[in-house]
Amino acid sequence: MVHLIPVLAAKNGVTSKNRKRIMPDPVTEPPVMDPVYEALLYCNIPRVAERSMEGHAPHHFKLVSVHVFIRHGDRYPLYVIPKTKRPEIDCTLVANRKPYHPKLEAFVSHMSKGSGASFESPLHSLPLYPSHQLCEMGELTQTGVVQHLQNGQLLRDIYLKKHKLLPHDWSTKQLHLETTGKSRTLQSGLALLYGFLPDFDWKKIYFRHQPSALFCSGNCYCPMRNQYLEKEQRRQYLLRLKNRQLERTYEELARIVDTPTKQLRAANPIDAMLCLFCHNVSFPCTRNGCVNMEHFKVIKRHQIEDERERQEKKLYLGYALLGAHPILNQTVGRMRRAAEGRKEELFALSSAHDVTLAPILSALGLTEARFPRFAARLIFELWQDREEPGEHSVRILYDGVDVTFHTSFCQDHHRRSPKPMCPLENFVRFVKRDTFVALGSGSTNYYDACHREGS
C-alpha cells in the first residue's frame, strides 16, 4: 500500500508561506500547474496561524459591518468509489488527534448544552457537532471543525479585539446567521461562531435556514439562469470528451473496481480520492490492481483545466451573475442599512457550499481566484471615513487576501483614487445595474433578466 503524501514533500513542496495563496503568484508557485500542489491547497490542512489582510485600513477609517460567506470545512465524501471499502475516517472530536485546536474540548462541551437552541426549522433537528466513529456520508470531520474554529478566532482577534465591531452586550439582532440544511454547514457555522464569540449565550443565537445553496431567499425561480447552466454543463461534457487521457484513466479505474466505466464516472471518484488524499490515507486496491497517484493526478488536472476553460468561455458568468444576484442584493441591503447608522446585522455569517461561493467569486469578476477550498472564507467589510462621515467604502477579502481591486466594479478605482478601498456606491451600482448590463440582455432588473424570452 502506498502512503500518499511523503511528509517531507508535503512540508517542503508547500511552505506555510505559499500554502495560502488564492491568486496565482509567479514567484512562489510551481511554474507548471501541479495537481498535487493544487490538491494540497484545496485540503487546507490547518497549520500555524496564517497572515491575513482582514481589518486592514488607515486609522481614520471605522469598521461598520462585516459580511462573511464560508464554505463548510473538510468533510467525508458524498460518494464512495463503487465496490471498494468505505474510507475509515473517524468523525468524533478528540483532543489527542491532529489537527487540534485549543478550544476543541470547550467547543464540544458548549455544543452539548445547545440542544434547546431555537433555530429555524428544519435546522433544530440537526446534530450540533460531528460524532460518528465511522463518518457518515458528507459529515464534517475534526479537520473541518478545527478549520472553522481557526477562522473564527482569527476574525475575533481582528474584528472584536482590535475593531470592537460588536459591543460586549451584543444582542441577537446584531448578528445575522444563516445556513443550508446540511449538518456540515450548520456545524461549520457554529465552529466559526464559537471561535468568534467563545461561550456565546445560546438564547442569543438564531440560525436561519436557506433551502437553496444559492441563498436566493424566495427569488430562486430563474429560467434564464438554468439555461446558462445547461450551456455550461454542455461545455464541461465536450471538454471531457476531448480528453483521451482522462477517458483512459476512467476505463482503467473501472477495470480495477470491476464496474462499468459510465457507472464509475457517475460516482464522481475524485470526491472520495480527495478525501483520502487530504487525510493521508492510501487509495483502495482490489484483486485487479490499485487506484494510484497517477490516476488522481489525471482527474485533478482535468478539474483544473475545466475551471480555466470555464472562466474563458464566459458561459458560467451568465449563470453566476444571475445565481449570485439575490445574495449580493441582500448584502447590499444590509450594508446600506448599516451605513445609515442602523445597529442591526453588524456581523452576518452565511455558512454555505462550494456551489455558493463559486458563482459569487465569478460574478464579482474574480476570474483568477481559486475554486473554493474547504473552509474558504469570502468577506465583505463596510468602512466609514471618520474625516468624511458620509462616505462609506467596501473591502473584499478571499481567504485573507485583499481582492477588492480585482473585482470588475473596482479594478480601475485605485488608479484614480488614493483610498485603499472601494466606494460603497460602486458595489451598489454593480449589484443594482451593472450586473444586468454585463448580461447584455437589455434587462434592468432581476425578474426581467430571469424571464426574458428567446435567448
Side-chain angles (χ1 to χ4, degrees):
M1 295 279 261
V2 192
H3 205 56
L4 264 192
I5 314 167
V7 175
L8 283 172
K11 280 189 180 153
N12 297 344
V14 186
T15 65
S16 60
K17 194 168 178 188
N18 65 16
R19 236 191 108 255
K20 298 293 181 184
R21 296 266 181 238
I22 58 109
M23 308 292 261
D25 184 325
V27 180
T28 59
E29 301 208 352
V32 179
M33 186 271 293
D34 174 3
V36 175
Y37 173 85
E38 293 295 328
L40 276 167
L41 286 176
Y42 178 83
C43 297
N44 189 19
I45 296 153
R47 298 271 195 275
V48 289
E50 61 187 280
R51 301 219 332 262
S52 73
M53 292 296 292
E54 277 100 347
H56 282 229
H59 63 91
H60 57 89
F61 277 82
K62 176 181 185 283
L63 184 65
V64 179
S65 69
V66 172
H67 310 257
V68 180
F69 301 91
I70 55 171
R71 183 188 178 194
H72 58 75
D74 177 79
R75 59 154 170 78
Y76 195 74
L78 300 172
Y79 312 87
V80 288
I81 300 171
K83 297 191 183 174
T84 62
K85 207 168 152 216
R86 269 182 58 179
E88 288 192 18
I89 292 168
D90 186 341
C91 274
T92 56
L93 304 179
V94 292
N96 60 359
R97 187 194 313 130
K98 287 185 176 174
Y100 174 67
H101 189 279
K103 287 202 165 77
L104 187 68
E105 293 99 320
F107 168 73
V108 173
S109 165
H110 199 63
M111 291 305 108
S112 62
K113 298 172 195 152
S115 53
S118 65
F119 295 163
E120 187 176 0
S121 177
L123 301 177
H124 53 70
S125 62
L126 296 176
L128 302 182
Y129 60 97
S131 60
H132 295 91
Q133 270 192 319
L134 174 58
C135 298
E136 296 191 332
M137 304 308 284
E139 187 170 9
L140 196 67
T141 64
Q142 176 158 322
T143 303
V145 170
V146 169
Q147 286 165 335
H148 279 305
L149 284 171
Q150 216 166 8
N151 272 341
Q153 189 165 7
L154 180 126
L155 301 186
R156 172 182 174 77
D157 288 345
I158 296 164
Y159 295 139
L160 295 187
K161 290 185 178 172
K162 185 178 172 190
H163 288 290
K164 313 283 188 283
L165 176 67
L166 296 175
H168 288 301
D169 58 346
W170 56 271
S171 69
T172 307
K173 284 182 177 171
Q174 287 166 327
L175 305 182
H176 176 86
L177 310 170
E178 55 183 359
T179 174
T180 59
K182 301 288 184 201
S183 64
R184 62 183 175 274
T185 47
L186 176 63
Q187 292 165 5
S188 293
L190 285 166
L192 186 145
L193 194 63
Y194 190 78
F196 187 63
L197 293 166
D199 300 321
F200 55 73
D201 179 349
W202 279 105
K203 292 195 275 300
K204 291 187 184 181
I205 300 300
Y206 183 74
F207 266 94
R208 291 171 173 79
H209 172 235
Q210 282 284 358
S212 163
L214 289 174
F215 284 59
C216 38
S217 299
N219 291 306
C220 294
Y221 182 62
C222 185
M224 269 312 298
R225 184 191 69 220
N226 299 339
Q227 275 190 41
Y228 281 119
L229 186 58
E230 282 161 22
K231 288 176 185 167
E232 160 61 16
Q233 286 164 340
R234 172 98 186 131
R235 178 205 62 73
Q236 282 182 329
Y237 173 70
L238 293 173
L239 183 69
R240 201 189 76 213
L241 287 187
K242 280 193 292 195
N243 190 335
R244 284 301 306 143
Q245 190 189 17
L246 180 71
E247 200 50 41
R248 280 195 301 274
T249 300
Y250 277 132
E251 285 163 8
E252 206 175 303
L253 289 174
R255 183 187 59 74
I256 290 169
V257 299
D258 195 17
T259 301
T261 308
K262 200 172 175 183
Q263 199 178 323
L264 176 83
R265 203 188 296 110
N268 195 20
I270 191 68
D271 189 53
M273 290 164 92
L274 270 167
C275 176
L276 294 166
F277 175 87
C278 293
H279 287 263
N280 212 4
V281 175
S282 302
F283 292 149
C285 291
T286 71
R287 65 177 189 275
N288 301 329
C290 289
V291 178
N292 64 40
M293 202 62 179
E294 289 313 306
H295 299 135
F296 176 74
K297 285 180 187 172
V298 169
I299 302 176
K300 185 66 192 158
R301 192 177 287 117
H302 176 76
Q303 252 193 350
I304 297 160
E305 283 163 8
D306 178 71
E307 188 70 18
R308 195 173 292 161
E309 193 194 72
R310 182 166 92 174
Q311 300 294 359
E312 284 165 14
K313 288 277 171 82
K314 298 276 193 263
L315 294 169
Y316 184 76
L317 180 61
Y319 167 77
L321 287 164
L322 288 171
H325 183 265
I327 197 169
L328 290 176
N329 198 35
Q330 290 160 38
T331 303
V332 158
R334 276 187 203 108
M335 285 187 168
R336 282 173 133 179
R337 291 192 294 276
E340 287 161 9
R342 298 267 291 279
K343 294 292 182 204
E344 293 176 6
E345 299 182 332
L346 303 181
F347 180 79
L349 172 64
S350 302
S351 187
H353 304 265
D354 53 0
V355 293
T356 318
L357 267 65
I360 300 174
L361 293 167
S362 196
L364 295 173
L366 299 171
T367 52
E368 297 282 292
R370 281 193 165 91
F371 189 77
R373 64 190 189 182
F374 285 131
R377 63 180 192 273
L378 175 65
I379 298 184
F380 293 72
E381 298 174 347
L382 179 67
W383 296 82
Q384 180 184 39
D385 187 342
R386 286 194 182 97
E387 292 173 358
E388 299 173 60
E391 288 201 10
H392 288 81
S393 302
V394 174
R395 287 179 81 230
I396 298 173
L397 302 107
Y398 183 42
D399 290 336
V401 178
D402 186 342
V403 293
T404 311
F405 296 121
H406 294 269
T407 61
S408 58
F409 52 89
C410 225
Q411 56 195 184
D412 299 328
H413 178 71
H414 68 309
R415 295 189 195 123
R416 299 192 304 270
S417 163
K419 287 194 177 173
M421 42 188 95
C422 190
L424 174 60
E425 303 82 78
N426 284 38
F427 182 42
V428 172
R429 194 182 317 119
F430 165 72
V431 173
K432 301 286 185 188
R433 190 193 76 188
D434 295 351
T435 288
F436 308 113
V437 175
L439 285 164
S441 62
S443 307
T444 55
N445 63 64
Y446 178 66
Y447 182 88
D448 290 349
C450 281
H451 294 83
R452 65 194 168 92
E453 294 296 319
S455 312

